[in-house]
Amino acid sequence: MWHNRSIGELADSLGRGEISSVDLVRHFLARIEALNPALNAVITLTAGQALAEAAVADRRRAAGASGPLLGIPLIHKDIFCTDGVRTSCGSRMLDNFVAPYDATVVAKLRDAGAVMLGKANMDEFAMGSSNETSFYGPVRNPWDKDKVPGGSSGGSAAAVAARLAPFATGTDTGGSIRQPAALTGTTGIKPTYGRVSRHGMIAFASSLDQAGVFARSAADAAIVLQAIAGFDPKDSTSVDLPVPDYCATLQAPLRGLRIGLVKEFADGLEAGNAALLAAAVAVFRALGAETSEVSLPSLPLSVPTYYVVAPAECSSNLSRFDGVRFGHRCDAPKDLMDLYKRSRGEGFGAEVKRRIMTGTYVLSAGYFDAYYLKAQKARQLITDEFRAAFERVDVLLGPTTPTPAFPIGAKIDDPVTMYLNDIYTIGANLAGLPALSAPCGYVDGLPMGMQLIGPHFAETRLLNAAHQFQLATDWHNKAAPGYAE
Ligand code: GLN
């Protein structure tokens, strides 16, 4: 069963000639055709292009090339510009947008020889926690098709969980990689802000957005992160620091690793979630890690802070979609104002409009100090508290989400309840920290994730800790019922 193999195993099989990349791509395309209609995880299939690229990968291998991703299939979140392929960002606004260039993440994976199978469904402009705001309809969770897969990278998460591809890309502004990873039993990493280029990634909130990876294990995620990390002159916020070898340190023992257990995360944690976290702590202790309690008193401010900063930035970023420069244009406009109003009114969905209005409000002259400036101060407090915590501990451990996957329709009419899905994830975005979610058990028969947060540029440490945890546990190997066959 090729779809049950890790990226490392697939690369070995390709290297030994046990399968060609073309046949591997055919295998995954057949799975997408059979299984995706019930999931709606993939919204654009690029079968012809994928087979052609796989044939190139096979020729490169035959000519002596190698590489851990050469000939390995993947799915890109539809927020990444893909040259010649529709890039919708889950919105009617960009339903007919064919990108004229590749995002840096896309180009880097292409250069590594990875083969794009298609584009993944997502919440509109990455705003959401359930993948229900997509213009293309909700994604269903492979573990229970009446439940959401999380969001905004819900299509990427569901695709990896259903084994429609060995890995997928995602983006995380407030939790959109970690939360869906947790709800689908996959491993997801959001790197440090600036570690991966944002060039060609459609902007939501530029000071928070970061590209990352969904895979079935930390070891696989390390291989992919290696390919996409690094400085990019096309993104002025990407950081010019050498990229460490993420795979080389996976095996390092955890003896002496200082793990901080965040008091504010433990407060009010639901019993099932708390039990899973306690079990994860026991695994880490058995591996030689030391644990202590850490307090970040301002952390409870992260959700309100985020819901000022993120809408503010989105209201500015999304002003370019006006039916003239970018995006959907209404039919037969009467005049310029009518064109703007109807194009934006028709192109954007309800959640995006809500964010644009909130953002415009908090940035308005009369309210700027009261909301935006105050939020920036809270953001600094949160960042400072994380920095102080990392003087005492090496990583922080906590839950990824408050609950397992919830029913489709349960929260979509109540934005504030929906926003609270991200109470454990948003802090890392506000502080620009790397964070990873890995499967750690079940609540009500549905997968849950634990979250590891590290200091800036400590991706190596997070991947090492998660890999050691995955050597000692089996949660990450479990497939949603019916998807390993
Ligand atoms: N759920 C959060 C939001 O709706 C985070 C989204 C994201 O990380 N892209 O804004």
Side-chain angles (χ1 to χ4, degrees):
M1 295 292 188
W2 296 107
H3 51 276
N4 294 329
R5 305 227 181 153
S6 69
I7 294 176
E9 288 166 343
L10 291 174
D12 286 347
S13 292
L14 287 166
R16 285 196 294 265
E18 290 161 10
I19 189 167
S20 65
S21 177
V22 167
D23 284 339
L24 200 56
V25 163
R26 282 207 183 100
H27 176 81
F28 282 105
L29 288 173
R31 278 184 75 77
I32 294 173
E33 258 157 49
L35 302 170
N36 189 59
L39 297 171
N40 197 27
V42 182
I43 52 174
T44 300
L45 201 58
T46 49
Q49 179 178 324
L51 289 166
E53 285 177 12
V56 172
D58 285 335
R59 281 201 295 276
R60 279 172 66 187
R61 254 192 212 279
S66 65
L69 292 174
L70 182 56
I72 307 282
L74 85 142
I75 293 171
H76 279 298
K77 184 177 184 179
D78 208 17
I79 198 168
F80 292 100
C81 285
T82 41
D83 192 1
V85 175
R86 181 179 71 165
T87 301
S88 73
C89 219
S91 182
R92 182 180 182 199
M93 190 53 101
L94 292 175
D95 183 41
N96 64 1
F97 174 60
V98 175
Y101 68 99
D102 278 336
T104 296
V105 164
V106 173
K108 284 192 164 219
L109 285 169
R110 197 191 288 283
D111 290 348
V115 178
M116 175 176 74
L117 302 172
K119 309 284 298 279
N121 202 344
M122 55 179 284
D123 277 302
E124 186 178 9
F125 284 100
M127 298 171 200
S129 304
S130 64
N131 218 114
E132 292 170 287
T133 72
S134 169
F135 176 59
Y136 303 95
V139 175
R140 292 174 182 274
N141 191 323
W143 290 84
D144 177 346
K145 295 201 187 64
D146 295 329
K147 304 260 166 39
V148 304
S152 66
S153 313
S156 302
V160 172
R163 310 195 172 190
L164 306 184
F167 75 97
T169 54
T171 62
D172 191 314
T173 303
S176 282
I177 290 175
R178 290 158 288 157
Q179 186 253 13
L183 301 195
T184 57
T186 54
T187 301
I189 182 165
K190 175 203 102 70
T192 307
Y193 181 80
R195 179 76 287 185
V196 176
S197 171
R198 292 183 297 109
H199 173 70
M201 198 174 107
I202 295 171
F204 162 12
S206 307
S207 77
L208 300 158
D209 297 342
Q210 185 57 201
V213 186
F214 288 91
R216 293 214 314 279
S217 67
D220 278 2
I223 294 171
V224 181
L225 184 61
Q226 197 74 53
I228 63 172
F231 174 64
D232 179 7
K234 293 178 184 150
D235 171 5
S236 61
T237 59
S238 82
V239 177
D240 195 359
L241 277 178
V243 180
D245 185 336
Y246 296 119
C247 299
T249 44
L250 289 174
Q251 303 301 340
L254 299 190
R255 195 164 317 286
L257 182 77
R258 296 169 304 165
I259 298 180
L261 305 172
V262 183
K263 178 180 171 300
E264 289 70 20
F265 282 168
D267 291 346
L269 199 61
E270 179 269 334
N273 209 349
L276 293 184
L277 208 58
V281 166
V283 171
F284 280 117
R285 284 215 186 105
L287 290 169
E290 299 157 12
T291 53
S292 61
E293 193 186 79
V294 164
S295 177
L296 296 107
S298 302
L299 203 54
L301 297 176
S302 44
V303 171
T305 301
Y306 173 89
Y307 278 98
V308 173
V309 173
E313 294 186 20
C314 113
S315 71
S316 167
N317 272 327
L318 270 57
S319 65
R320 75 193 65 174
F321 302 106
D322 57 6
V324 177
R325 293 171 298 167
F326 290 98
H328 167 82
R329 179 179 294 187
C330 67
D331 274 339
K334 285 201 305 283
D335 54 29
L336 188 62
M337 256 352 243
D338 183 48
L339 182 148
Y340 285 152
K341 281 187 184 164
R342 279 202 293 127
S343 297
R344 285 170 71 80
E346 292 166 7
F348 290 133
E351 183 59 28
V352 172
K353 287 176 185 163
R354 186 177 295 126
R355 306 274 179 117
I356 291 174
M357 287 192 286
T358 312
T360 307
Y361 178 81
V362 300
L363 290 176
S364 60
Y367 294 102
F368 184 88
D369 288 3
Y371 294 108
Y372 186 73
L373 213 58
K374 200 171 202 173
Q376 293 294 11
K377 288 179 182 165
R379 182 177 188 174
Q380 191 58 51
L381 274 180
I382 293 165
T383 307
D384 290 345
E385 287 175 10
F386 271 115
R387 189 169 297 130
F390 286 123
E391 278 163 19
R392 291 181 37 217
V393 297
D394 302 310
V395 292
L396 295 170
L397 175 67
T400 308
T401 65
T403 65
F406 46 90
I408 292 176
K411 300 187 183 178
I412 192 69
D413 296 324
D414 184 352
V416 174
T417 306
M418 187 69 90
Y419 297 168
L420 289 172
N421 279 295
D422 297 317
I423 45 172
Y424 303 128
T425 50
I426 279 175
N429 299 83
L430 291 171
L433 300 168
L436 174 153
S437 177
C440 69
Y442 302 96
V443 166
D444 300 334
L446 291 165
M448 293 287 282
M450 62 169 185
Q451 185 182 197
L452 291 163
I453 306 175
H456 293 114
F457 302 102
E459 285 80 4
T460 309
R461 203 179 292 163
L462 300 184
L463 291 163
N464 167 224
H467 178 64
Q468 292 301 310
F469 180 86
Q470 291 181 335
L471 288 177
T473 58
D474 207 25
W475 306 113
H476 64 293
N477 287 323
K478 305 261 194 271
Y483 287 94
E485 287 75 38

